[in-house]
Amino acid sequence: MPSVVNSLAATTRATCTVPVALGSRAYDVLIGPDLLSEAGRLIATRLGKAKCAVVTDENVARHHLATLEASLRAEGRLRGSIVLPAGEATKSFRELGPLCERLLELGVERGDLVVAFGGGVIGDLAGFAAGILRRGVRFVQIPTSLLAQVDSSVGGKTGINTPQGKNLIGVFHQPVMVIADTNVLTTLPEREMKAGYAEVAKYGLLGDAAFFGWLEKNWRSVFGNDTAALTRAIETSVKAKAAIVERDEHETGDRALLNLGHTFGHALESWTGYSSRLLHGEGVSIGMCLAYRLSEELGLCPKGSAARVSSHLRAVGLPTSIGDIPGAKASAPELVRLMGQDKKVRDGKLTFILVRDIGEAFITQDVAVERVTQFLVREIDTSRAA
Ligand code: GLY
């Protein structure tokens, strides 16, 4: 994976472009400040005569919809906008049906574009609606959270949640362009920004030790007003994701590496009822620390790696152990049971992403459930490990 360190000299560029090379489904991810007001021109220049139906949520609409609509209107590209309630509950069958019908009422034609303008929830829902509307219309992702900019807007995973679990219904449907405006992150609550940062750190931890080292030195700039550092962190993350998606678009192999910290994290999210007790990125942060501690305990990675990971994430302000989650104490067997409901279960075996070192993750199904249970019992008894 390319390292951020060699390309720091280029941080003065305003906008950067990361190609996602998927043959006939190839697209660019554009990253930089003030791209929202450029969106109409970018879409008109790159995507032909299509008109746009914008799907967004109430929070994003309040801060940014007027800017996007003005930009699309200036190019004569706006069909209309649909504003949905903010929050995970929107990613549901209950919202999907009416959304598809409203897109049809707006007159969305086969050659038009659905614009998913929001965080992961809107990206997943609007992308799924685009994937099934008229048997598939094109869509543009304009992600407005750090998590969506570095992860969910890239790679074509779309879908909704059901009572049986998260993201169990959906399709792979690649966007035709991703526009990541770094300025919109200034209106993001600090807690959400930190949660998104867990996914940024993930790219260093799974495949790029130099990037993780850069983050350890530069995270304050990433969170400060340093656009160049923020753009660099997003660009490096998107490049890492693009490289993995290009190798394994449909997650039959390497793409599972992107789930570092997610097997534990999803179980913790499920246990906390997908509530504000634990945001997705916070679950990933704890999950990555657990993956490093388990790998160390199994003798797979050098001693001290786990402490280094948790020390960085804690400095940023992220939770790093199960005891950091407010409220009731977890139960190890319950967490293991919840892990078994993850869609990464194959032939009844849990898939874990473990590590050989910082920047060296690998996929395994070789960890005995009893071993994981014992590990979690110790983790739960230690209120703040490493
Ligand atoms: N968020 C993990 C993936 O896109 O595969």
Side-chain angles (χ1 to χ4, degrees):
M1 228 171 268
S3 159
V4 71
V5 172
N6 297 333
S7 46
L8 280 179
T11 51
T12 48
R13 284 170 307 161
T15 302
C16 55
T17 304
V18 179
V20 184
L22 286 172
S24 61
R25 294 178 308 291
Y27 53 97
D28 283 339
V29 182
L30 310 180
I31 305 157
D34 293 325
L35 292 182
L36 208 49
S37 51
E38 294 287 306
R41 189 185 55 76
L42 292 167
I43 288 171
T45 316
R46 290 166 164 253
L47 300 174
K49 293 195 187 315
K51 289 211 167 190
C52 298
V54 178
V55 181
T56 190
D57 73 26
E58 287 157 348
N59 292 342
V60 175
R62 193 167 53 250
H63 292 295
H64 305 295
L65 185 57
T67 309
L68 178 60
E69 284 189 332
S71 166
L72 292 169
R73 213 175 270 123
E75 300 289 334
R77 302 296 161 136
L78 182 65
R79 279 210 186 279
S81 301
I82 298 168
V83 181
L84 300 174
E88 192 73 29
T90 294
K91 245 177 82 172
S92 62
F93 271 124
R94 204 188 56 242
E95 295 288 344
L96 179 70
L99 171 61
C100 290
E101 290 184 9
R102 287 167 75 187
L103 287 167
L104 292 171
E105 281 161 14
L106 282 179
V108 174
E109 297 172 358
R110 194 78 190 273
D112 281 345
L113 294 161
V114 171
V115 176
F117 183 40
V121 166
I122 289 295
D124 284 7
L125 175 73
F128 187 27
I132 57 177
L133 197 76
R134 297 190 186 278
R135 299 206 175 90
V137 299
R138 298 179 301 165
F139 85 114
V140 171
Q141 288 266 23
I142 307 188
T144 57
S145 68
L146 181 59
L147 187 136
Q149 292 194 354
V150 299
D151 186 17
S152 59
S153 67
V154 179
K157 280 189 180 175
T158 73
I160 56 171
N161 304 327
T162 55
Q164 289 74 23
K166 277 185 87 175
N167 301 324
L168 295 180
I169 311 278
V171 292
F172 282 99
H173 185 49
Q174 298 291 343
V176 288
M177 180 160 61
V178 181
I179 302 172
D181 181 340
T182 51
N183 277 2
V184 303
L185 301 180
T186 56
T187 57
L188 205 62
E190 192 185 335
R191 186 176 172 198
E192 268 196 57
M193 188 75 183
K194 285 179 181 168
Y197 181 87
E199 300 277 1
V200 173
K202 180 187 79 176
Y203 293 106
L205 293 175
L206 75 86
D208 188 344
F211 181 45
F212 186 71
W214 182 83
L215 288 172
E216 287 178 308
K217 289 194 188 74
N218 294 284
W219 67 269
R220 285 184 184 80
S221 307
V222 172
F223 281 96
N225 284 332
D226 186 339
T227 307
L230 178 60
T231 303
R232 181 58 52 188
I234 297 170
E235 180 187 16
T236 308
S237 302
V238 171
K239 277 184 177 163
K241 174 136 192 191
I244 290 177
V245 168
E246 286 163 8
R247 289 206 297 276
D248 177 23
E249 184 180 359
H250 296 117
E251 197 167 313
T252 53
D254 268 12
R255 186 163 177 168
L257 290 170
L258 295 171
N259 296 323
L260 175 63
H262 284 60
T263 306
F264 288 120
H266 281 159
L268 292 168
E269 274 187 278
S270 175
W271 168 64
T272 50
Y274 302 101
S275 65
S276 59
R277 267 177 84 192
L278 188 73
L279 303 181
H280 173 72
E282 294 169 342
V284 170
S285 174
I286 297 172
M288 291 192 297
C289 293
L290 295 177
Y292 268 85
R293 288 203 280 275
L294 179 60
S295 300
E296 245 186 64
E297 201 175 289
L298 295 171
L300 296 167
C301 94
K303 293 260 180 254
S305 319
R308 186 176 158 197
V309 173
S310 53
S311 140
H312 174 58
L313 295 174
R314 198 180 304 133
V316 168
L318 281 161
T320 58
S321 68
I322 298 172
D324 290 343
I325 303 171
K329 200 171 166 183
S331 120
E334 173 67 355
L335 290 180
V336 170
R337 188 188 67 76
L338 291 169
M339 280 185 215
Q341 289 180 349
D342 201 282
K343 64 185 174 308
K344 292 180 285 299
V345 174
R346 294 229 170 110
D347 303 326
K349 286 194 166 173
L350 284 173
T351 302
F352 278 98
I353 315 303
L354 296 181
V355 287
R356 294 198 180 86
D357 208 336
I358 305 278
E360 285 182 46
F362 66 99
I363 305 161
T364 180
Q365 291 196 318
D366 273 349
V367 192
V369 170
E370 302 72 49
R371 188 78 200 249
V372 178
T373 311
Q374 288 159 11
F375 168 74
L376 286 174
V377 166
R378 282 193 299 281
E379 283 288 330
I380 290 165
D381 286 345
T382 320
S383 70
R384 186 182 272 267

